[in-house]
Amino acid sequence: QAVVTQEPSLTVSPGGTVTLTCGSSTGAVTSGHYPYWFQQKPGQVPRTLIYDTSNKYSWTPARFSGSLLGGKVALTLSGAQPEDEAEYYCLLSYSGPWVFGGGTKLTVL
Amino acid sequence: EVQLVESGGGLVQPGGSLRLSCAASGFTFSNYWMNWVRQAPGKGLEWVANINQDGSEKYYVDSVKGRFTFSRDNAKNSLYLQMNSLRAEDTAVYYCTTSPSTSIDYWGQGTLVTVSS
């Protein structure tokens, strides 16, 4: 099965901008992977932020956005807040099965 | 109020079996694909399996194929994960969830499965 890769950790300053990326061992990530992004804070269940690359839910803060970037899928946080410190996971579809990335621990400091 | 409530976790010896259940309420369960996602202690999320609305289509992560069986009973708003030939690496919190979904995002609180002698 495919391996999905993410940066293990990133740090952003409060109010700053950071981009998390997600790649696939099978080649370029496309919209056909129906990329999702999840946020998980310690002791909590995950929460979905983005679906189908760039679409937001009603509960997704406007400062989060998704895109395709250089063969990967990206999650950009613009104007980071202290409450955005969390683990972020991408999820990709492989025509039936899904695969999570290993997660990015985002520190707001 | 939407609820997904998992049960059936516990301590089992390697090679043993467990059956997880997930009871859903507060939404139209039969309209959605459902998923199991697990998380080993201190580790990341791992998608395990999914099932379509009528149970006719299922997919599994390679590491559980042939050992786990996912089923649903729409009359009872329930999911089941039969886990056989359990291994130490199956130790995790198992979540039932509607995610991924383009419209809803419901997760249970999880049930812990520990495979150890």
Side-chain angles (χ1 to χ4, degrees):
Chain A
Q1 224 148 24
V3 175
V4 176
T5 55
Q6 298 181 240
E7 298 86 2
S9 63
L10 290 170
T11 300
V12 62
S13 299
T17 296
V18 64
T19 296
L20 291 65
T21 67
C22 171
S24 172
S25 63
T26 62
V29 177
T30 70
S31 59
H33 287 96
Y34 304 101
Y36 282 73
W37 287 96
F38 297 79
Q39 178 192 65
Q40 188 179 31
K41 297 180 180 180
Q44 296 184 15
V45 300
R47 180 176 72 150
T48 319
L49 293 177
I50 299 285
Y51 68 93
D52 291 352
T53 306
S54 59
N55 293 286
K56 300 180 188 182
Y57 300 90
S58 59
W59 57 83
T60 306
R63 59 186 180 274
F64 289 96
S65 62
S67 63
L68 291 176
L69 187 67
K72 296 184 178 183
V73 62
L75 176 70
T76 299
L77 171 58
S78 304
Q81 302 296 309
E83 61 266 29
D84 298 328
E85 185 161 296
E87 194 85 22
Y88 291 84
Y89 297 91
C90 65
L91 178 69
L92 302 180
S93 171
Y94 289 88
S95 301
W98 295 79
V99 181
F100 276 102
T104 296
K105 181 176 174 57
L106 182 65
T107 301
V108 181
L109 188 63
Chain B
E1 179 194 8
V2 171
Q3 283 196 308
L4 290 171
V5 180
E6 303 96 337
S7 60
L11 175 64
V12 61
Q13 291 189 339
S17 297
L18 277 178
R19 189 194 195 207
L20 304 185
S21 299
C22 174
S25 60
F27 68 105
T28 309
F29 174 77
S30 59
N31 283 359
Y32 297 96
W33 282 78
M34 294 297 297
N35 296 259
W36 287 97
V37 171
R38 67 184 178 184
Q39 188 165 34
K43 302 297 185 183
L45 301 175
E46 182 179 32
W47 178 87
V48 175
N50 65 0
I51 190 168
N52 73 341
Q53 290 87 339
D54 66 4
S56 62
E57 198 172 346
K58 308 171 192 181
Y59 298 93
Y60 300 90
V61 66
D62 282 351
S63 60
V64 310
K65 282 180 184 175
R67 300 189 299 123
F68 289 13
T69 302
F70 193 1
S71 61
R72 67 190 295 165
D73 184 338
N74 287 339
K76 296 182 178 179
N77 284 357
S78 292
L79 302 173
Y80 307 101
L81 187 67
Q82 178 66 44
M83 305 188 296
N84 299 330
S85 304
L86 283 161
R87 307 167 180 168
E89 54 265 36
D90 296 317
T91 294
V93 173
Y94 284 72
Y95 297 102
C96 68
T97 176
T98 57
S99 194
S101 166
T102 60
S103 57
I104 60 175
D105 187 33
Y106 305 140
W107 294 73
Q109 287 303 303
T111 186
L112 177 62
V113 172
T114 303
V115 185
S116 175
S117 54

